[in-house]
Amino acid sequence: MDSSGSAQRLEVVVAGDEGSARLDRVLAAHLTDLSRSRLKALILAGAVSLRDAPIRDPAYHVTSGDTITIDVPEAAPPEPKGEDIALDIVFEDDDIVVLNKPKGLVVHPAAGHETGTLVNALIAHCGGSLSGIGGVRRPGIVHRLDKDTTGLMVVAKNDLAHASLTAQFADHGRTGAMRRGYMAFAWGLPGRHRGTVDAPIDRHPYAREKMAVRQGGRDAVTHWELLESFAGRDGKPIASLLACELETGRTHQIRVHLAHIGHPLMGDAVYGPHFKTKANHLGPESQATLAMLGRQALHAYLLVLEHPRTGELLHWEAPLPKDLLLLQGALKAAL
């Protein structure tokens, strides 16, 4: 083991008597100074290698005699630093910031994304007013969007706003005025104009980075409405544009729920991989546009909430971003 400096390169030789052949468990048996969650994060980040090839699957089975290399990066600072990252701000006052998040922007620092996040941008933009709000790693963040989901987010700038927004998001409009709406391009055509998915969500039993509909999971309710349908080259329906509203706020909720009812999001490599062959039924322009999209076709277009200080009802809508407008146009052309 080379532990010079603050970064480390560790080596583990598999003895075969660790009690499991799984990579994460073998490493945990040898590297007791690193937590299991830390080891998993290192694996997923590509910092664990076998014969110079990164292994990103914690469940990968190693064999006796294998030499595993682990590159442990320098410890991240306890608090994220401000970075000059442009933000598309649609509203701001002394209490809140509402922004239109672009694709590719991670909300808060985590393993593999210690910098270049929305939190880093907010610290630079807002200065000390965010200090200590929502925890050191997530100042001001009361909800989040997936890295490649675009659209509206609200951020608290002080304790009063943080407490109010946290309560509103916990309630999700059941007794208050909050609404969160999404535009979703999904495979297939639902058999009716509108519906509700009421199905509990929990961690996937095997793929821990995924969520799944599971009995005993947390309550999850998504309302959807059909806005537009699109035909393939053969003239048969192949995709739909759905407006979805959340009654709960579970991780990946819309992505999981739409996949559960057989209409996964277009471009969703996690929850819709079995629908890749569907693209063969699209016209050439639609196929090319979908290939260039490189993300799930989901946009948070609607946000309604009560101002945390005044109680005023505030309403924002963000139009589809350019990449989804291009997808919509290509699907309409059906050529």
Side-chain angles (χ1 to χ4, degrees), residues 67-86:
T67 299
I68 305 166
T69 302
I70 308 97
D71 290 309
V72 183
E74 294 182 22
E79 295 187 25
K81 296 180 179 179
E83 297 178 38
D84 187 13
I85 300 171

Side-chain angles (χ1 to χ4, degrees), residues 133-134 138-144 153-156 161-163 165-166 169:
I133 302 297
R138 289 190 273 185
I141 304 297
V142 294
H143 71 121
R144 63 187 233 177
M153 285 188 64
V154 61
V155 177
H162 190 267
L165 292 175
T166 298
F169 275 91

Side-chain angles (χ1 to χ4, degrees), residues 81-87 116-125:
K81 296 180 179 179
E83 297 178 38
D84 187 13
I85 300 171
L87 295 174
T117 71
L118 175 59
V119 163
N120 298 111
L122 287 167
I123 289 173
H125 178 77

Side-chain angles (χ1 to χ4, degrees), residues 39-202:
L39 289 170
K40 179 181 177 182
L42 289 169
I43 294 169
L44 295 176
V48 176
S49 303
L50 176 63
R51 293 183 285 275
D52 294 324
I55 306 172
R56 298 177 183 270
D57 181 5
Y60 179 91
H61 277 208
V62 296
T63 58
S64 180
D66 281 345
T67 299
I68 305 166
T69 302
I70 308 97
D71 290 309
V72 183
E74 294 182 22
E79 295 187 25
K81 296 180 179 179
E83 297 178 38
D84 187 13
I85 300 171
L87 295 174
D88 181 6
I89 294 174
V90 299
F91 176 86
E92 181 175 12
D93 64 10
D94 291 339
D95 297 299
I96 61 175
V97 179
V98 177
L99 59 101
N100 190 7
K101 190 185 88 65
K103 68 177 181 181
L105 181 63
V106 175
V107 171
H108 58 82
H113 295 285
E114 284 82 5
T115 61
T117 71
L118 175 59
V119 163
N120 298 111
L122 287 167
I123 289 173
H125 178 77
C126 300
S129 68
L130 289 175
S131 178
I133 302 297
V136 171
R137 301 296 284 180
R138 289 190 273 185
I141 304 297
V142 294
H143 71 121
R144 63 187 233 177
L145 298 177
D146 296 336
K147 173 187 173 185
D148 288 323
T149 296
T150 55
L152 294 168
M153 285 188 64
V154 61
V155 177
K157 294 178 70 174
N158 52 53
D159 289 316
L160 179 148
H162 190 267
S164 172
L165 292 175
T166 298
Q168 290 187 60
F169 275 91
D171 182 71
H172 262 97
R174 286 185 290 272
T175 62
M178 169 167 278
R179 293 174 61 198
R180 293 171 67 191
Y182 292 74
M183 294 289 186
F185 289 85
W187 288 112
L189 178 65
R192 48 193 172 134
H193 187 71
R194 59 176 56 87
T196 296
V197 186
D198 185 348
I201 291 177
D202 202 350

Side-chain angles (χ1 to χ4, degrees), residues 183-186 188 225-230 239-243 320 328:
M183 294 289 186
F185 289 85
E225 180 179 358
L226 176 64
L227 298 181
E228 196 170 5
S229 63
F230 309 100
S240 305
L241 174 59
L242 306 177
L320 288 172
Q328 183 182 35

